[in-house]
Amino acid sequence: MTEQDFIPKPYKNSVENGTVTWESPSNIALIKYWGKRDLQIPENPSISFTLSECKTITKLTYTKKNDTKDFSFDVFLDGDKKDDFKPKIETFFKRIEVYVPFLKDYHFTIETKNTFPHSSGIASSASGMSALALCLMRIERLFNSEMSNTFFNQKTSFLARLGSGSACRSIEGNLIVWGATKSIENSSDLFGIKYPYKVHDNFKNYQDTILLIDKGEKQVSSTVGHQLMHGHPFAKERFAQAHDNMETLKPILETGDLNAFINLMESEALTLHAMMMTSNPYFILMKPNTLEVINRIWKFRTETGLHIGFTLDAGANVHILYPQSEKAQILEFIENELVAYCKNGEYICDQIGLGANQIE
Ligand code: DP6
């Protein structure tokens, strides 16, 4: 597939006014996307678990307008008008206009809400951009009713990527690969695909408890962080390592080797943060409590032999991942020992999920 495949032929149907609502989940990367070029092309492959509970619900109302000169839309978060969200959406619309040529024909009202606290550091751009891409694709499907489900998912992921890279991994479940790499057949830089190989039952209903360590706005956005990988002294090695890690992960997922899984996942998380610390300008997104939690996880793991591991995204929060079979003991540990390190004692229990849903 190339970009050209996502440019539609002239539409046969016409579409008047209507509304559509989708809910789309966040995702947590096991092998991290960090570094991009051109229009949201990743420098290395990544793979993530789609989540179930952390999601964005977006209702899109579209009303045909007379002129087709400019984009016209309003955005609301939890019922409040959010003009500060508009530039990001405007950029998104500009990038995708050639693929969704009806964008200037309608006025859009975008009403959105998250099931997790705003600015909790949970990737709302992944769930937010994927939810919006899904709503737009639902409209495109009215223009072209012959569209297959496979193409719908591919193109939605392709569009979501142009809004936020990681958003392309939030359309389907449970494990999504984004970025062309030798070891994964049909993997693409343009959109995410479902992980195509065998996954052991150990990963069924895999748990993710997210400790909210710091809820403030990040000092450095992911977008800036990605840019700092240009000319980064370790970039070449890091990108090559991600390809190798993808290959290493395959037999781990197949055999259900949880110790090897944890080793790879934690190494990826710390490498991501090492890239931040070694870029110029350098920065640190972990907080003292992030490190406290990591050390306590390691100690508990050594003492109990349970399969508890962590990953981090671009922030201070800690995602604690573990198999469903060990849920009771690990949750007890989290509640007794780790909640004290969370801001206002807040954490979110989530698990691997099936992907986005249309609500109406
Ligand atoms: C650290 O997808 O938020 O979470 O493409 O600029 O929107 P943009 O960046 P974004 O980057 C996410 C980076 C990460 C790792 C990951 O999810 O793979």
Side-chain angles (χ1 to χ4, degrees):
M1 298 283 275
T2 68
E3 276 99 341
Q4 298 301 315
D5 296 315
F6 295 110
I7 299 177
K9 300 204 183 73
Y11 298 129
K12 288 186 209 128
N13 306 343
S14 70
V15 175
E16 291 305 316
N17 306 335
T19 65
V20 53
T21 306
W22 276 84
E23 59 172 27
S24 188
S26 186
N27 66 74
I28 181 69
L30 307 167
I31 294 177
K32 306 291 183 181
Y33 149 55
W34 198 243
K36 60 177 169 182
R37 68 189 129 84
D38 306 331
L39 257 187
Q40 304 280 94
I41 297 297
E43 291 283 13
N44 66 258
S46 58
I47 182 167
S48 53
F49 277 152
T50 307
L51 296 179
S52 311
E53 302 302 327
C54 292
K55 40 191 186 193
T56 298
I57 300 148
T58 297
K59 176 176 173 186
L60 187 68
T61 305
Y62 48 99
T63 319
K64 198 107 188 217
K65 59 186 177 68
N66 295 327
D67 71 282
T68 56
K69 235 172 71 229
D70 293 310
F71 301 121
S72 170
F73 62 95
D74 292 307
V75 201
F76 297 84
L77 175 69
D78 298 325
D80 297 329
K81 201 156 186 272
K82 281 280 177 193
D83 286 342
D84 50 329
F85 284 15
K86 289 185 86 169
K88 193 158 186 194
I89 296 176
E90 179 101 21
T91 305
F92 177 51
F93 280 2
K94 278 189 195 139
R95 285 185 191 159
I96 65 171
E97 191 188 2
V98 51
Y99 308 107
V100 217
F102 57 81
L103 279 183
K104 284 185 176 154
D105 299 345
Y106 296 88
H107 174 79
F108 295 104
T109 303
I110 305 165
E111 292 166 272
T112 194
K113 57 184 182 209
N114 296 322
T115 59
F116 47 86
H118 185 57
S119 283
S120 57
I122 294 171
S124 60
S125 68
S127 52
M129 283 298 174
S130 55
L132 185 54
L134 283 154
C135 290
L136 293 173
M137 281 305 292
R138 180 68 193 107
I139 301 174
E140 166 145 88
R141 212 170 203 178
L142 299 175
F143 282 108
N144 170 14
S145 44
E146 283 145 31
M147 189 187 298
S148 71
N149 285 339
T150 308
F151 185 80
F152 178 89
N153 285 333
Q154 257 172 14
K155 182 162 174 183
T156 308
S157 174
F158 171 84
L159 296 181
R161 183 198 102 236
L162 291 168
S164 175
S166 55
C168 80
R169 299 187 313 237
S170 274
I171 313 301
E172 295 179 272
N174 317 353
L175 262 172
I176 304 291
V177 176
W178 170 42
T181 190
K182 222 172 51 252
S183 58
I184 313 280
E185 222 175 330
N186 296 324
S187 53
S188 169
D189 284 343
L190 300 182
F191 48 82
I193 61 161
K194 273 171 93 83
Y195 178 74
Y197 306 111
K198 195 171 163 267
V199 178
H200 193 276
D201 272 354
N202 281 352
F203 297 102
K204 213 170 158 195
N205 299 326
Y206 218 69
Q207 302 291 306
D208 179 5
T209 301
I210 310 163
L211 304 188
L212 304 181
I213 303 287
D214 185 57
K215 304 205 312 177
E217 287 286 346
K218 288 184 286 196
Q219 308 113 298
V220 181
S221 71
S222 293
T223 305
V224 171
H226 286 292
Q227 277 163 13
L228 293 173
M229 289 304 281
H230 293 296
H232 189 293
F234 307 134
K236 200 163 151 256
E237 288 78 4
R238 161 58 195 154
F239 301 146
Q241 179 199 41
H243 286 273
D244 292 345
N245 281 349
M246 207 61 128
E247 196 157 354
T248 307
L249 187 61
K250 261 170 79 174
I252 294 174
L253 291 175
E254 183 171 346
T255 59
D257 183 344
L258 292 178
N259 293 328
F261 177 76
I262 290 168
N263 180 276
L264 189 86
M265 170 177 79
E266 292 188 348
S267 160
E268 272 288 322
L270 295 179
T271 300
L272 169 71
H273 283 256
M275 290 301 113
M276 299 172 188
M277 290 185 221
T278 49
S279 54
N280 199 355
Y282 41 80
F283 58 105
I284 301 180
L285 295 183
M286 287 191 273
K287 296 282 179 198
N289 280 354
T290 312
L291 292 178
E292 280 293 342
V293 164
I294 290 174
N295 279 308
R296 284 186 176 257
I297 290 173
W298 285 343
K299 185 160 173 276
F300 178 74
R301 186 161 79 217
T302 310
E303 284 167 2
T304 60
L306 292 172
H307 298 95
I308 178 172
F310 72 87
T311 187
L312 308 166
D313 49 25
N317 297 336
V318 182
H319 287 248
I320 304 183
L321 275 77
Y322 49 95
Q324 192 187 29
S325 59
E326 297 176 8
K327 184 173 175 178
Q329 290 147 288
I330 291 177
L331 260 186
E332 193 186 322
F333 161 68
I334 292 172
E335 278 158 14
N336 290 342
E337 284 199 41
L338 301 185
V339 166
Y341 298 102
C342 301
K343 201 121 209 176
N344 308 324
E346 270 192 88
Y347 63 100
I348 298 171
C349 288
D350 210 333
Q351 62 175 0
I352 193 165
L354 294 175
N357 285 309
Q358 186 178 356
I359 299 182
E360 60 170 278

